[in-house]
Every structure is written in C-alpha cells, then in structure tokens.
Amino acid sequence: MARDRDPQAYTRPVRRIFVAGLVLLLLGVFLLWRIDSPRVERFRMALIDRFAPSMEWAMAPVAWGSGLIEGFQSYSRIYQQNQELRRELQQMKAWREAALQLEQKNAKLLDLNQVRLDPKLTHVTGVVIADSGSPFRQSVLLNVGSRDGIRDGWATMDGLGVVGRISGVGRTVSRVMLLTDASSRVPVTVQPSGQRAILAGDNSSLPPLDFLEKSDLVRPGDRVVTSGDGGLFPAGLLVGQVVQGSDRRLRVAPAADYLRLEFLRVLRSHEHEEIADPGDLISPPPGTLPEPQTGPSTPEPADG
C-alpha cells in the first residue's frame, strides 16, 4: 500500500529556490546599477531603451490617477473662487443700487436747486424677533411699537428695498405685512417707462403687476419704485425689478432679501395737510367780482 505523500514536501523546496533566485536577481540589478564603468553604463542605457517604452501601459493608471487628483483640486479651487465671487457680486448689487439712488437724487437736486426736503421723513430701526408667516399670511414681528411712535400703515425697508407696511401695533411690538402677502396692494411706478401699476401680493416670492396701462412698454429688468399714490407709501422707494414669471405674467423680484430679514427700518410718515381755503390763487365764482368803475364817481345830492 502506497504511503500518502505530503504536498508541502514538493512546494517548500520550490518556494525556497524561487525566493533565492529573486534575491540574487535583485542583488545583481543593484550591483549593475552601482557599478561605475563605461561598459556597464552602455549596457544600462541599452536596457532602458529596450524596456522603458514598453512600460508606458503600466504607468498609464498612475498618470490617470494623478491627473484625476489634480483636476479635483482645481475644481475645488474654482468652486471656492466662485463662492467668493458670488458674495462680492451680491455686495456690488447693493452698492450699485445705492449708487443709482444717489445719482437720481443728485440729478433731481441739481435740476431743482431750491428743492426743500421733507424733514418729517425719518425712520426707526427695529429688530425682527419672529417670523409669523404661513401659506396664507406672510408677516414678521418687530421689537418696536406704540411706545416708539409706530403707527399703522408706515412703510418698512431693509437695507435696500421696501419690505412691507405696519399692519398692527402693540405697545412694544408691531406686525409688518410683507409685500408678498395676499392682502397687500401697493401703487408702484415702473421706470423708465413711467407706467403706473398695482403690486398685488399673492403669497409667492414674485408678486405680479396688475392694472398696467401699457404692458408692452415694460421690459424685464426695469426698476419698480413706489409711486406715492393715495399717500400709502412715500414716492421713490425701491421695490425691485420686473421679471417674467412662468405664467407669462409680469412680476416683480423684490430688492429686499426676505430670507434674511434681521433689521427693518420703519419710515415715519404723516398725514397730508388739508387745504380748506382756496386762497387767492383760485378765481372766485362768476358774479362775485365787483364791477369795475369807468370814471370818477360824484356824490349824489341829498334829498331835501
């Protein structure tokens, strides 16, 4: 009966021979690269010329991986630069709008050298303490109220554009109804065409323009400011820019950033003074003027 032979008895010597041969080969390569001789140098160069071009396929994954890493690093740098440019662009838009307002005001002042500004149009700054908005009502709460002189109907602005108006006043707080609220109706003027319209809130971020006289004169990108009609808002306050909605209606993108309302400026307003007496500028009704005298009058003699 044949004895069972252990497979390790054959593989172990072969493994030892292979390891020894590999060590000798590496040692020979090391010595070959270390020998400083012209013949050995020529042999090394011939060996490199023979095998180096054929090893490009082995270096291809390494080159692809290094290119991928460089591309990802470049994309990361471009993304950071893009975010910085976005922040700078937002700041530049605010400065541009402020410059436009100053330019327009300066032009009006130069044109009307004796213009008299309204000294009563001052403001009170409040902090937004709560956002009580809902799908059916959009408003915020301010930490200023009747003790600060706040009244219903006064306009509120952030640093750039109109936000809404005061729609409820308590002693220490007040409610601001936003322009996007469905109950909001504000008379506005579209520049430069001068078209008047009503900015009607519909609980969306882009309220539409209603009652436009000539909508073909209004283009996306036109500036929208308050008209001052009805005495609801002071005239000339920036509201936003005209855009065209998905429903093909002309809408307004508010200049105010409703997503980050922190501080609001409440503009103090006042009732217009009513003129009860027409004065001398308006002619009196016919028949009330005294008849002109054509000559010198002589006194009539007294009777008796």
Side-chain angles (χ1 to χ4, degrees):
M1 184 175 180
R3 294 182 302 173
D4 295 336
R5 296 181 178 180
D6 187 8
Q8 295 293 335
Y10 296 99
T11 58
R12 191 177 293 112
V14 174
R15 187 184 304 143
R16 290 177 180 175
I17 295 173
F18 176 76
V19 172
L22 182 60
V23 171
L24 292 175
L25 178 62
L26 294 176
L27 182 61
V29 172
F30 175 75
L31 293 176
L32 180 64
W33 247 254
R34 296 296 298 177
I35 295 175
D36 189 8
S37 173
R39 291 186 178 180
V40 176
E41 180 65 24
R42 287 194 297 269
F43 176 74
R44 284 199 298 261
M45 296 304 298
L47 192 64
I48 292 174
D49 292 339
R50 176 64 181 83
F51 291 100
S54 61
M55 295 296 290
E56 292 181 357
W57 61 271
M59 297 299 295
V62 178
W64 179 82
S66 61
L68 183 63
I69 294 174
E70 291 179 359
F72 179 78
Q73 293 176 349
S74 176
Y75 172 78
S76 178
R77 290 192 299 268
I78 292 175
Y79 178 78
Q80 293 177 357
Q81 293 176 359
N82 189 20
Q83 295 299 317
E84 293 177 359
L85 289 175
R86 285 177 179 272
R87 288 191 292 267
E88 293 179 0
L89 180 60
Q90 189 68 24
Q91 295 175 358
M92 291 300 295
K93 285 183 178 179
W95 283 109
R96 175 180 176 273
E97 189 57 42
L100 287 175
Q101 292 180 358
L102 290 175
E103 182 181 1
Q104 291 180 356
K105 183 178 293 186
N106 189 34
K108 292 179 180 178
L109 290 175
L110 290 176
D111 188 31
L112 304 173
N113 194 17
Q114 302 298 327
V115 67
R116 186 182 184 123
L117 298 178
D118 190 352
K120 298 181 180 180
L121 193 59
T122 57
H123 65 272
V124 178
T125 301
V127 179
V128 177
I129 58 177
D131 183 357
S132 59
S134 68
F136 307 101
R137 182 176 177 85
Q138 297 192 9
S139 62
V140 295
L141 296 179
L142 290 181
N143 67 340
V144 290
S146 59
R147 68 177 181 181
D148 304 293
I150 304 299
R151 297 183 184 179
D152 273 330
W154 284 3
T156 60
M157 302 181 65
D158 67 351
L160 191 58
V162 177
V163 173
R165 62 183 176 88
I166 301 294
S167 63
V169 180
R171 183 177 178 276
T172 58
V173 296
S174 57
R175 183 184 300 278
V176 177
M177 182 173 64
L178 304 181
L179 295 181
T180 55
D181 188 89
S183 301
S184 175
R185 299 292 185 274
V186 178
V188 295
T189 301
V190 182
Q191 296 177 349
S193 62
Q195 294 295 308
R196 297 182 182 271
I198 298 294
L199 182 66
D202 60 352
N203 288 338
S204 68
S205 59
L206 300 175
L209 287 172
D210 291 340
F211 305 107
L212 269 172
E213 297 178 357
K214 297 180 180 180
S215 59
D216 54 341
L217 298 179
V218 179
R219 298 288 185 269
D222 290 350
R223 299 175 70 250
V224 180
V225 298
T226 56
S227 64
D229 294 339
L232 180 64
F233 279 45
L237 301 180
L238 177 66
V239 176
Q241 287 186 341
V242 177
V243 296
Q244 192 168 32
S246 57
D247 54 355
R248 311 299 295 176
R249 295 183 64 184
L250 292 176
R251 296 177 174 268
V252 175
D257 190 358
Y258 285 6
L259 299 179
R260 286 183 287 272
L261 293 179
E262 298 180 2
F263 302 94
L264 292 184
R265 185 169 52 193
V266 184
L267 301 181
R268 291 192 180 97
S269 185
H270 59 281
E271 293 83 6
H272 295 285
E273 183 180 356
E274 296 184 359
I275 301 177
D277 185 8
D280 298 333
L281 296 179
I282 301 178
S283 300
T288 60
L289 290 174
E291 296 181 357
Q293 298 179 356
T294 58
S297 59
T298 58
E300 297 179 357
D303 295 340

